[in-house]
Amino acid sequence: MAEIIVPELGESISEGTITKWFVKEGDSVNQGDVLLELETDKVNIEISADSSGVVSRIAKGDGEVVLVGEAIGSIGASAGGAAPAQAAAPAAAPAQPTAPAAAAQAAAPAAVQAPVAASAASVNASPAVRKLAREQGIDLTQAQSQAGRISSGDVLSSQGGQASAPAAPAAAAPTAQPQAVSGKPVERKRMSRRRATIANRLVEAQRTAAMLTTFNEVDMTAILDLRKRRKQSFFEKNDVNLGFMSFFTKAVVGALKAFPLLNAEIDGEDIVVKKFYDIGIAVSAKEGLVVPVVREADRLSFAEIEKSIGELASKARSNTLALSDLSGGSFTITNGGVFGSLLSTPILNTPQVGILGMHKIQIRPVAINDTEMANRPMMYIALSYDHRIVDGSEAVRFLVTVKNLLEDPEALLLEG
């Protein structure tokens, strides 16, 4: 008998949520077959079988929270061993609270579910469902289930009836209709684990960092002219388009070399200055913003940066990023301009102390000198920084350096 164990998920990740089992009890599997998908704070991970055999037990179902190192099922050596394992599953599963309750549920789970639910601790419900009940103020002993196990739908269905008729919640909400506020229809749904993590990290960044933002603008004429002249030959040689991100990445690296405190982080009372340039590129994915990292950007050519960003963005949108793709960045670039943003204040990607925001290129009249005006393609750029270790003058000069390098692309070959 081989246990299905939740593997190490990466630094700072101690738990995950089962998104979907791809097998069921009694299925035959080979070593390396994907058994289930696990959602963590950062990425979704597929857990594969370590040995061949028959899935004899599934102890944790879809939507349940599991811990690193926890046994969530088992694989038997043969089909013959599946039946005894399944018969013992109700007594052995971690979700069953007591031996008497487990024995009763094994005999007649649907019939004895209500008597067993003498207290919230004895209710047959997953940790995720218990958490939802606490958040909604629901008494699990009053939640009704037709399947012998309380689900999130059962909790939400009983929400409306407990205030007025706690003894008969099933009659109060027989169907899972949307909750209403002042008679108007609404839809309630749980945050995904990743969205909740993003929310917590953004609030933490604003709470723990002395965050300020400084702004400047860049005349993109030189870069647009260079891309126009070199676009075709660049693609023919490198099989990738010459975009804006490689210019900004190179400009950021050049500015970080001149102002190293923007490439640092705070560790207690220490300042850790990083001597490498792993640049995070914010990418909008279905489950929310993720920040994969372009490693050693200072050593990469324009083409290598464009290819790396393209590959990471593709993996982000297909939900195939690995934990190694997301960890260890030293500075972040985010581009709200692709969505039409003209100006914004980006939030720090902690523990980093700097993030550069790009915005939409807008044709605007610009004073060339005392007597001449011209329409130029202009972009506002924003630098948010942690004022605990970065002074305002340093932040301003960093952003001016980025601006100067972008307006003189040839300088990127020397400084970036």
Side-chain angles (χ1 to χ4, degrees), residues 16-21 36-38 60-64 66 72:
T17 302
I18 297 175
T19 304
K20 181 181 180 181
W21 279 93
L36 69 149
E37 182 182 62
L38 195 67
K60 295 285 188 176
D62 294 356
E64 294 198 53
V66 295
I72 56 176

Side-chain angles (χ1 to χ4, degrees), residues 20 196 219 385:
K20 181 181 180 181
D219 185 342
Y385 60 98

Side-chain angles (χ1 to χ4, degrees), residues 18-25 27-29 33-38 44-48 55 58 60 62:
I18 297 175
T19 304
K20 181 181 180 181
W21 279 93
F22 298 107
V23 297
K24 59 182 182 296
E25 292 183 356
D27 285 355
S28 296
V29 296
D33 286 354
V34 176
L35 301 176
L36 69 149
E37 182 182 62
L38 195 67
N44 285 21
I45 297 173
E46 292 181 341
I47 297 180
S48 303
V55 179
I58 293 178
K60 295 285 188 176
D62 294 356

Side-chain angles (χ1 to χ4, degrees), residues 309-343:
I309 292 174
E311 291 169 358
L312 291 170
S314 178
K315 291 168 70 175
R317 293 180 181 116
S318 62
N319 205 22
T320 56
L321 283 169
L323 290 171
S324 58
D325 294 324
L326 298 167
S327 60
S330 60
F331 188 93
T332 295
I333 302 173
T334 181
N335 184 8
V338 296
F339 303 108
S341 172
L342 192 60
L343 188 63

Side-chain angles (χ1 to χ4, degrees), residues 228-279:
K228 184 177 180 180
R229 287 185 286 108
R230 299 287 187 177
K231 183 177 181 179
Q232 186 61 35
S233 60
F234 186 90
F235 180 81
E236 291 174 355
K237 180 179 180 180
N238 302 293
D239 197 28
V240 66
N241 288 320
L242 179 59
F244 295 110
M245 291 305 302
S246 53
F247 290 96
F248 276 82
T249 301
K250 284 291 188 180
V252 161
V253 169
L256 290 174
K257 290 180 177 180
F259 301 95
L261 282 183
L262 269 299
N263 202 45
E265 67 178 64
I266 297 176
D267 183 11
E269 296 185 355
D270 296 333
I271 297 174
V272 181
V273 180
K274 301 171 184 177
K275 301 298 185 180
F276 57 88
Y277 304 93
D278 290 351
I279 307 301

Side-chain angles (χ1 to χ4, degrees), residues 120-206:
S122 64
V123 171
N124 186 5
S126 71
V129 171
R130 293 179 187 277
K131 181 180 179 183
L132 175 62
R134 289 195 302 270
E135 293 172 347
Q136 302 300 324
I138 301 299
D139 182 359
L140 281 177
T141 62
Q142 302 299 320
Q144 301 296 307
S145 172
Q146 300 300 320
R149 184 177 180 83
I150 304 298
S151 68
S152 59
D154 298 325
V155 172
L156 295 177
S157 295
S158 65
Q159 185 179 35
Q162 286 195 20
S164 57
T175 58
Q177 296 295 329
Q179 302 297 313
V181 178
S182 301
K184 297 184 181 297
V186 298
E187 179 184 2
R188 181 188 299 272
K189 60 181 181 180
R190 292 291 303 277
M191 281 189 183
S192 68
R193 174 176 289 272
R194 193 166 308 144
R195 172 53 63 185
T197 300
I198 291 171
N200 291 334
R201 283 175 62 87
L202 294 179
V203 171
E204 179 186 5
Q206 292 187 309

